[in-house]
Each structure stands twice: as structure tokens, then as C-alpha cells.
Amino acid sequence: MHIGVDVGGTNTDAALLDGNKVLSSIKSPTTDDVGLGVVGAIGQVMQQSGCKVSDISSVMIGTTQFTNAFVEGKKLVPVATFRAALPATRDVMPMVEFPPHLKKPIGDLSYLVSGGYEFDGRHIAPLDELAVAKGARDMKARGVNSVAVSSVFAPINDQMEKRMAEIILNEAPDAELTLSSEIGRVGLIERENATIMNASLAALSRTVVNAFRSALAELDITCPFYISQNDGTLMTAEFAEKYPVLTFASGPTNSMRGAAFLSGIEDGIVVDIGGTTSDVGVLKGGFPRESAISVDIGSVRTNFRMPDVLAIGLGGGSIVRGNSDNVRVGPDSVALNLTNKALVFGGDTLTSTDIAVAAGYADIGDKSLVSHLDPALVEAAVDCIHALIEDAVDRVKSSKGNVPVVLVGGGSVLLNRPIKGASEAIKPELSGVANAIGAGLAQVGGEVDRVYSYGDLGRDGALDHARKEATDRAVNAGASADTVSIVSIEEVPLTYLPAGAVRVKVKAIGDLGPQEHAA
Amino acid sequence: MSAINLDNLADFIRGTAILGTGGGGDPYIGRLMLQQELEKCGEIRLIDPDDVGDDIFTVTVACMGAPTVFGEKLPNATTAIEGIRRIEKEVGRSVNAIMPLEAGGVNATLPLTVAARMGLPVIDGDGMGRAFPEFQMTTFNICGVDCSPFVMSDDFGNTVLLETDSALRTETYGRAVCVKMGGIAQVASYAMTGEEARKSCVARTVSLAREIGQTVREARIAGEKDICDALVDYFETSNPPRFSQILFDGKVQDIVRETRDGWTHGQVFLEGLDEADGEMLITFRNEYSQATVNGKTVAIVPDLISVLDRETGEPITTETLRYGQRVKVLGVAALPVMRTREAVEIFGPRAFAIDEEFQSLETLAWGEAEAVG
């Protein structure tokens, strides 16, 4: 049996899964001491189901703490950036666009050295190993321990970054390194930004992963535990400690994965309606579609993979204004104050929840408190709510045609009419804990994103290479080899270059392999 | 005298993206380069083309190569200066102002960074008035300014000088060198006197970009007027005024995209938000080149076609087009210097493989008689 836990900003949810069955699930408030909340949630869910510690084969945890910490600039450590690129790239130093509140804790110590690759794999310059060693000694003398390593076209060849890592560790054996080739895609600055973000979270990731470890130890749970990544696959706790940024936006991802699991819909659209906003995203083969564009995190641009989610200002607490001729719903919301502001709870604010109750398709609070509402206004607001969702559903679609829509989250009570553009609309049971269930689904993945020269390797040769590497990465991440399959291949020829330079993205996914219980 | 500084940088960058007319490359790296430079120098001075005196000797600066490579092996202002030095040596005259080659996209920013580094002013104009894919597609070329000596420089400060009989041949030879330089080259070309610059440039496109960005920002903050309407109002008052029109209001229904011979070819189909509005088809070849509504052409190169998010006014490039986007399509008239017979031959419809005569946005909107009158 697996336990999935979702540590959100407000709630910590847990679900106990046995294969394809959800045995029990609970929702509890997130505590300041995250470990305590996790202990509480797991403890409750086990107690509820009566299962024993020895029945648990793995625990999967989803968390938004790293995203929040970075955006707020809290609990970050100073980072030294090493970039192998000279004489290229000297006109944009690392961290140019980091805002002051992030530059303050992270600093802007950087060492640019000769090195890097051309798009076709040639060296720009040989790696200046002496300069790397000198930088590492300087960094150590300044008391900086967390390092971001980047080089030009590292997604084509990571050898230089690996060599830099060796040299830095030789000079500063305790240094904690993040390599850009492990994190980002083509686009030096965006990839380097993501690398620096990751390095700045080194201390927090240790603290958080240790808190999870102690929480499990306290419950005598000795099975391996995993952290969910933002593509819907798992990583080991050790890996998560090194690559916390891979959890960014894993909340919406887990919710979409959970929705797929609960509804049985692998390809469709998930609408997760919360209190203030709705997240709308596309499922492809049970996983969220990735964003094709760069994503800003805390106003810093990055290019690592993120789920493609459209957030709109509609939730259970959205404020309703106007009259039947001109009604508006949201985007502002009474948010956490729903239970004292909404009319059905005796409050003074007309919310979308009141409309659902007045329309007779939700039973929340005291419905007599909304019986005075003008039926025409209620009708208009119901139209408006459905139109907002229909519009969002249409925006995220990748082509014309009707697709299944899965509605999850507390606010899904707002909808009860057929949705335009949807072949069917499904509201699965247990949708309130879709996040925790999504976290508890045991699949691991590996991906490759690099530029190949089809002229040298041939298309088949290049694709074979990429497939094999993605598969190896999935197995290294814990997938059992016989279950790994390639789920996507994307080829993008580069413009303005001779035919043959092609950016290839391959992703492999497999089931979590046999696990060894810790002693 | 007007200037680009840290306060108006974001406006300028947004404007260059809109003038990119769907292509021109991501202005992100250019913005960072400029930001870093402006933090040191404070501001970059602009000279109005009307004030460009005969004492001025200027050269254009741009990057040649693949946008994907620009994002890794970033444009290099330091060696762009090497290229300028080589031109100075070749023609025996010192450069005392920098001229942008292109008003849209990533190439709108490099000349400013170079000028800042050299402590020189920038002439407020360019040779394209928008983004175009090739070096011969400039008003300088059309007005008879020689693009040679054409100096390409790499990150090592190596330079390659091309001296050819035509800008088109320079473009062809240059691409080959560019690949060997690693897919990106800094290019100094079209060295010219103040008089030549004054007569041949598309005027005030640096301030145009800044004002476009400012219009979008202010309309967003005020929240009262539609952003695209605000842009149409702005173009009526730009210097010089430009005719512009919202050509379509709709959503993206389908995109066909193909990369071949180093170009991104494709078409995007839009459906009107109101069914009566019919269907728009935009053809692109790196940039948007032709827009038709129900089969009738409503805008065609060299006039500008921009696809904007209908709520935020944010430009949507040929690479970021996606099904379901709600957009407004904005047509902006190119200045007269870009619409001469010679100009249309170099960067009119046929240069983009469209078998149609150029017709101005005004003619297409009002019919022949009114447009002429």
C-alpha cells in the first residue's frame, strides 16, 4: 500500500492507496512545523483504515514549500555561479534580473571562465580548469557553499559541467552543487536562473526532507519515501534534497494526476476549482501537458519544465456583483472568509456559492438566507459561472472538438450544467483530496532535451540515443526497467541553420521498481 | 533630447516585441544586456533623424544567426565594437553615432547596448521599421546605401569582411560564415554619412517602440479603454502619424507550422468571436506577411501585422501561437519610404513568396479612391 501526502499552504491531505483503490483519505490543516502536520495526517489516515506500518511499501509527498520560499525570498542561502562560456556571453552576467529581495540572500558572486560548447558540439574554448579551481578557493574563503554550475549548450554536452563539478569539489569538498544540464533546457540565462534558484534552496531542502524523514521515523515507517515532481513523476528523497526546484508547481500537477486517476480519464481537461481561483489544465496520457513557454517564478524567468496551467479568477468564494442584465462573478473573492461572509452562512456578501445554493444545486449553509434573491439574477450568474469555465476550457484545448472534462476541488459544486466544449463532465468522488491521491501514484520518469545533429548521427541514430538516455534516466530515478516506455518525442528543427540541427525532447515513464526497506 | 533609460526600458522592450510583427526573436536577452548596461551608464541618448548633421558618420549594428543560438551564446556587444573598428579602419573615418538595423525583436536592442558601451548616441530610426529576416531588406539598401564593407565578428574578436556587389549576395555569403562562427555573428554594416542616414532611415522607430510600450502600459493601468483601441489612437498621433486598424477580433482555431530552408513557414486560422465576423487567415514566413478575411486581403507586407492578446495587448509571435488564444490583429501602415516601388521589390509580397501586388492598408480598408484622395 502507498500513502500519498499533499502539503499545501492551507491544508495537509493524506490518502491511503492500495493499487487502484483509495482505502481512506483525510484533510487536516497545515502546521507551522510541517513535520508535525505530516505525522498527524499519516497517523489519521492509517488509523481510519486500520492498516499497519508494515503494510506501507512507500510514502509519496507533494509540497509547495520550495516554490513559496523562493518567491518570498525566505530561507535562501548565498550562491556562487560558475559559467563556462568565455569569451562568449560576457555581456550578460548571472542574476541581472533577480529582484533586490532575492539578490540580498543569494548574493551575486559569479565566476565566468573559458569554455562552453557550440550548437554543433565543438568547443567554444577549452575549459579553463585553473580558473575554476581559483574560483572555488575564492568562494570557499568567502564562506559560500552552494554552487550553480552552467555552461553554454550544456544540454548538448554536459561533460564540461561535470568536470567543473569535480574541480570545485576537489577544492571545496563540502560544496553543494547544482548542474544546469540536470535542470533546464536550451536557453542559457533561463537555465542558469533555474540552477541558481535550486542552489539557493539547498539548506531549506535539507531541512524539509529531514523533517519528512523524522516524521516518518516517528511513526515507525521505514519504507522508502518519494517527493513528487512537477511533471507528475516521483523522485527519491535524496534526489529531492538536491533538486528542490523540480517540485515547483507540483500542487496543480498532483491535483490533475489525482483527477485522472479518480475519473479514469487519461486525455482530457481538468478544472480544479478552489476558493478564489480555478486551475485549468490538459491531461495527456494521465499526465499534465507541459508549458511550452518560459515561466516566471518570483519575477525571474526560467525554462525548466512546468505544467501548463491556466488560472482564472473563479472560485467558491468569488464575489457576485451587478444585476440580471449585467452580472459579474469574481475575480475577487472572500477567500478563507467564506464561512462568515457568504449569505448562506449569515454574512453580507453575495458569493458564487450563494448562487449555487439559490439555484438549487448545492446544499451548503442555510438556503433560506438566499431565497430572496431575484431568480433572474441567479440565472444570469449561473450562466456567467458556466461561461467562465467554458471559456477557460476552450483556451487550454490544443484543438477544436469536444473532450472530457473532470471537475475537482471544493468549488466544483458551482457547476451542474453540461459544459460547452466538453464531451462529458465528470465530478469524481473524493475530488477534495485529489492532490494527495495524485501524489500517491507511483510512477517515475526520465527526460532528455538536447540539440542533435541529424547530419552526423542520422535521425534514427539521434532518436535512438535520446530514447535510450531518457530510459536510463527513468531507471536511475527508480523505475523498474521492464515497465519503462517512451511517452513523448518532440523534434524541433532550428531555424536559420543548415538542415540537421534539431532539438529533440524525449520523455520516458515507468512504474516504481521493487523497493528495499531501510534497516 | 530623448533617451532610453531604466525607467522606460520595459516600455521600449514591449514596443520592440510588437514591432517584431510575429518574428524578430525573443527580446529577453536584449533586455538583460541593456539593463546591465544602463545600470552602469544611466541612459542612452537618441538623436532625432532631422537633427542628424553632416558631421555624423554612422554604422548599423545587428546580430545574424539562429534565435535558438542567441539564447545560448548570447549577442556580444564587445566584439560588435571590433566590427565597427574594422569598418572605421577600412573607410578611414570614425563612427560617432550608432544606427539600429531593425526596429523589432532582439536586434532592436543590441545597437543600444553597443552605443552605451562606446559612449555614442543612437540615431532614432532604423532600416526596416519592423522586423525582417534578411540583410538586404532595408531602406538603406533601397536608397542606395552600400551595405559593404560588411563586417562579421565572433566571440573571439575575429572579423570577416565581405565586400560584394549587392546586399542580397552579402546576405547569402554571410549566412555561410555565420554557421561557421557557431550560429551567431555580430554584424556592422551600412556605414553612412549623416545625410544618407537622414534620407534613408525609417524615422523615429526607437521612440516609436518606447511609445507603443508606454501606450500599452498606461491603457492597462487605466483599465478603461481597450488596449488595441488605445494603440490605434496612439498611431494617429505618432511622429509621423501612421494609419492603423484592428483587422480582426477572434480566436485561434488552427496553426500550420513548418521549418524549412531556415525559415519558419506557416499559417494561422482565426475565427471571429461573433460568427458574422467570418474567418481570418494569416500567412507567416518568420514574420506575419499577409492577412485575409474571408479570402480577401486586408493587410500585406511591408505593412505591419501584429497579433496581440486581446486583453493584455501582449504580442504573440509565430512561435507562441496556440489554439484557443483570444487575439486582436493589428495592422499598421509602413512609412512611405518602405512603400516605394523599389522597396516593395525588396521586401514586398513577392519577397515572401506571395503572388500578389502590394496594396496599402488604407487602400484595402477604404478602396482605391478614398485612399488616394
Side-chain angles (χ1 to χ4, degrees):
Chain A
M1 282 185 266
H2 308 298
I3 292 180
V5 183
D6 178 72
V7 185
T10 319
N11 287 313
T12 297
D13 305 338
L16 179 70
L17 290 96
D18 185 7
N20 284 336
K21 273 194 357 231
V22 180
L23 300 180
S24 67
S25 62
I26 63 104
K27 215 172 183 58
S28 64
T30 295
T31 49
D32 283 340
D33 179 342
V34 175
L36 274 182
V38 171
V39 171
I42 296 180
Q44 275 185 59
V45 83
M46 286 179 63
Q47 198 182 14
Q48 205 180 73
S49 66
C51 90
K52 294 193 295 286
V53 163
S54 55
D55 298 333
I56 312 290
S57 59
S58 53
V59 175
M60 293 83 161
I61 303 177
T63 175
T64 56
Q65 290 170 91
F66 300 119
T67 329
N68 298 344
F70 184 81
V71 171
E72 291 165 16
K74 286 179 183 159
K75 299 170 189 165
L76 306 180
V77 295
V79 174
T81 305
F82 286 74
R83 185 200 291 168
L86 294 180
T89 78
R90 61 190 144 191
D91 286 328
V92 183
M93 293 299 286
M95 297 186 63
V96 172
E97 68 171 330
F98 279 57
H101 80 279
L102 291 176
K103 262 189 184 156
K104 206 173 151 213
I106 302 174
D108 56 3
L109 191 60
S110 62
Y111 306 95
L112 266 56
V113 304
S114 292
Y117 296 95
E118 302 281 6
F119 74 91
D120 54 8
R122 287 177 293 160
H123 285 190
I124 294 175
L127 180 64
D128 186 346
E129 303 197 345
L130 287 176
V132 177
K134 192 168 160 233
R137 286 193 293 274
D138 181 65
M139 162 196 98
K140 201 176 155 191
R142 291 169 188 265
V144 175
N145 195 48
S146 200
V147 185
V149 178
S150 79
S151 87
V152 174
F153 276 118
I156 290 182
N157 191 340
D158 59 6
Q159 288 309 309
M160 253 184 224
E161 289 191 352
K162 286 188 167 152
R163 180 65 190 138
M164 290 160 83
E166 277 174 16
I167 297 168
I168 295 164
L169 283 174
N170 193 36
E171 299 293 335
D174 297 330
E176 294 179 282
L177 278 70
T178 305
L179 308 189
S180 85
S181 49
E182 301 276 354
I183 288 195
R185 301 167 170 169
V186 172
L188 175 75
I189 299 295
E190 294 100 320
R191 184 174 69 248
E192 188 177 82
N193 287 348
T195 310
I196 294 168
M197 276 178 197
N198 191 69
S200 73
L201 289 164
L204 182 66
S205 66
R206 228 180 5 255
T207 311
V208 167
V209 172
N210 277 332
F212 291 157
R213 249 188 219 119
S214 326
L216 296 180
E218 198 169 308
L219 292 161
D220 289 322
I221 297 176
T222 55
C223 66
F225 76 100
Y226 299 87
I227 308 282
S228 27
Q229 303 192 51
N230 58 14
D231 67 345
T233 64
L234 298 169
M235 55 184 160
T236 61
E238 293 72 34
F239 194 80
E241 229 175 300
K242 281 176 143 169
Y243 294 107
V245 292
L246 299 181
T247 66
F248 280 16
S250 58
T253 296
N254 282 337
S255 149
M256 289 175 68
R257 292 271 293 143
F261 174 84
L262 291 169
S263 63
I265 300 291
E266 297 265 299
D267 296 284
I269 289 171
V270 177
V271 182
D272 183 352
I273 310 177
T276 305
T277 57
S278 300
D279 287 339
V280 185
V282 177
L283 281 172
K284 275 167 78 181
F287 287 88
R289 181 176 71 194
E290 274 176 31
S291 174
I293 51 169
S294 304
V295 180
D296 285 2
I297 300 167
S299 77
V300 175
R301 193 151 118 168
T302 67
N303 65 357
F304 65 115
R305 56 138 211 258
M306 292 280 265
D308 188 5
V309 176
L310 173 70
I312 60 165
L314 172 70
S318 294
I319 297 173
V320 179
R321 295 190 180 84
N323 52 44
S324 56
D325 295 329
N326 179 24
V327 73
R328 277 169 299 137
V329 180
D332 50 344
S333 161
V334 298
L336 295 173
N337 296 319
L338 183 71
T339 50
N340 52 54
K341 290 263 176 116
L343 300 183
V344 289
F345 292 111
D348 58 4
T349 310
L350 179 61
T351 66
S352 52
T353 297
D354 297 315
I355 295 296
V357 173
Y361 58 81
D363 186 12
I364 298 167
D366 181 351
K367 65 180 175 207
S368 69
L369 294 173
V370 290
S371 55
H372 66 285
L373 291 177
D374 171 13
L377 169 70
V378 172
E379 180 71 16
V382 169
D383 286 346
C384 176
I385 289 167
H386 283 78
L388 284 169
I389 291 294
E390 284 164 354
D391 186 64
V393 163
D394 191 57
R395 275 167 195 246
V396 301
K397 272 186 196 173
S398 42
S399 62
K400 229 170 165 172
N402 292 345
V403 292
V405 172
V406 187
L407 303 167
V408 297
S412 54
V413 295
L414 299 180
L415 302 174
N416 89 325
R417 288 189 192 161
I419 295 170
K420 218 192 306 170
S423 56
E424 53 180 329
I426 303 165
K427 277 194 220 176
E429 280 181 50
L430 296 175
S431 77
V433 290
N435 282 13
I437 292 166
L441 302 174
Q443 285 193 296
V444 283
E447 69 175 346
V448 169
D449 179 356
R450 64 168 51 169
V451 179
Y452 282 98
S453 168
Y454 282 8
D456 296 345
L457 290 169
R459 177 168 179 266
D460 291 347
L463 291 183
D464 282 349
H465 183 273
R467 277 195 206 99
K468 179 169 182 320
E469 187 155 336
T471 306
D472 288 349
R473 286 187 178 199
V475 171
N476 287 339
S480 89
D482 53 340
T483 64
V484 176
S485 62
I486 303 291
V487 294
S488 71
I489 298 180
E490 232 178 275
E491 302 167 74
V492 185
L494 303 188
T495 50
Y496 287 105
L497 290 175
V502 181
R503 181 171 167 188
V504 177
K505 268 174 68 179
V506 175
K507 182 159 197 162
I509 301 236
D511 293 338
L512 195 57
Q515 301 137 44
E516 291 160 27
H517 279 244
Chain B
M1 181 180 288
S2 73
I4 296 295
N5 51 41
L6 284 169
D7 293 333
N8 61 28
L9 176 63
D11 288 343
F12 170 64
I13 296 293
R14 177 169 289 126
T16 64
I18 291 176
L19 290 175
T21 55
D26 186 343
Y28 172 68
I29 294 295
R31 168 166 70 79
L32 296 185
M33 288 178 77
L34 258 181
Q35 184 180 331
Q36 189 173 313
E37 212 55 44
L38 285 169
E39 279 167 6
K40 283 186 256 171
C41 74
E43 65 166 29
I44 297 156
R45 286 177 302 130
L46 303 179
I47 315 178
D48 190 278
D50 287 348
D51 298 334
V52 169
D54 294 338
D55 56 326
I56 291 285
F57 183 64
T58 186
V59 65
T60 70
V61 178
C63 259
M64 180 181 218
T68 312
V69 176
F70 292 0
E72 278 288 333
K73 231 176 61 148
L74 318 178
N76 191 325
T78 316
T79 62
I81 296 172
E82 303 282 325
I84 296 172
R85 298 291 177 230
R86 177 97 192 259
I87 288 195
E88 287 177 332
K89 213 162 97 187
E90 189 70 21
V91 301
R93 200 169 165 187
S94 286
V95 166
N96 52 11
I98 300 295
M99 171 70 100
L101 184 81
E102 193 167 8
V106 63
N107 267 334
T109 52
L110 182 68
L112 274 69
T113 308
V114 168
R117 192 71 66 76
M118 296 177 79
L120 296 179
V122 170
I123 298 175
D124 188 359
D126 77 304
M128 296 180 174
R130 47 172 290 164
F132 274 134
E134 296 180 345
F135 272 86
Q136 78 281 7
M137 297 179 167
T138 69
T139 52
F140 308 133
N141 182 30
I142 289 154
C143 296
V145 179
D146 193 349
C147 86
S148 303
F150 181 95
V151 179
M152 305 171 68
S153 54
D154 68 6
D155 282 312
F156 302 91
N158 298 311
T159 52
V160 172
L161 186 148
L162 298 178
E163 187 81 53
T164 63
D165 60 352
S166 80
L168 178 59
R169 218 183 303 276
T170 300
E171 161 70 31
T172 316
Y173 295 174
R175 290 284 159 200
V177 174
C178 182
V179 171
K180 293 297 172 196
M181 284 185 165
I184 178 170
Q186 285 60 230
V187 176
S189 63
Y190 291 108
M192 59 192 132
T193 62
E195 191 191 1
E196 285 174 312
R198 205 164 53 229
K199 288 183 175 159
S200 66
C201 77
V202 186
R204 293 174 208 91
T205 45
V206 179
S207 15
L208 179 75
R210 189 194 65 216
E211 288 163 11
I212 288 172
Q214 182 185 347
T215 304
V216 171
R217 173 173 53 83
E218 288 175 351
R220 245 185 238 179
I221 293 169
E224 284 160 11
K225 193 157 68 174
D226 178 87
I227 291 171
C228 296
D229 289 341
L231 281 171
V232 170
D233 289 350
Y234 160 72
F235 283 118
E236 275 177 27
T237 64
S238 68
N239 181 14
R242 291 162 168 83
F243 174 76
S244 73
Q245 198 181 29
I246 299 187
L247 302 170
F248 203 71
D249 183 359
K251 65 177 191 174
V252 176
Q253 284 298 103
D254 198 10
I255 306 135
V256 186
R257 213 187 263 120
E258 188 190 350
T259 307
R260 100 180 100 85
D261 316 325
W263 296 69
T264 307
H265 300 252
Q267 291 190 313
V268 53
F269 299 87
L270 309 173
E271 191 181 81
L273 287 188
D274 196 332
E275 267 174 33
D277 297 342
E279 194 180 74
M280 170 172 265
L281 172 67
I282 309 176
T283 305
F284 53 87
R285 196 160 151 135
N286 290 19
E287 285 82 30
Y288 300 116
S289 45
Q290 183 184 24
T292 62
V293 173
N294 301 328
K296 187 182 168 298
T297 299
V298 292
I300 194 160
V301 281
D303 284 344
L304 286 67
I305 302 166
S306 275
V307 179
L308 308 176
D309 180 290
R310 75 188 295 275
E311 262 102 50
T312 65
E314 222 43 68
I316 297 170
T317 65
T318 59
E319 286 173 4
T320 55
L321 279 170
R322 275 218 344 233
Y323 172 87
Q325 284 165 330
R326 268 63 172 166
V327 302
K328 285 194 179 173
V329 181
L330 180 70
V332 184
L335 292 191
V337 66
M338 296 174 66
R339 286 171 159 185
T340 61
R341 196 174 49 79
E342 295 80 6
V344 168
E345 246 166 58
I346 303 277
F347 48 56
R350 291 188 214 281
F352 295 86
I354 300 167
D355 192 20
E356 227 172 89
E357 295 301 324
F358 169 70
Q359 283 183 286
S360 73
L361 201 62
E362 300 88 318
T363 308
L364 291 167
W366 299 328
E368 200 78 46
E370 282 103 314
V372 172

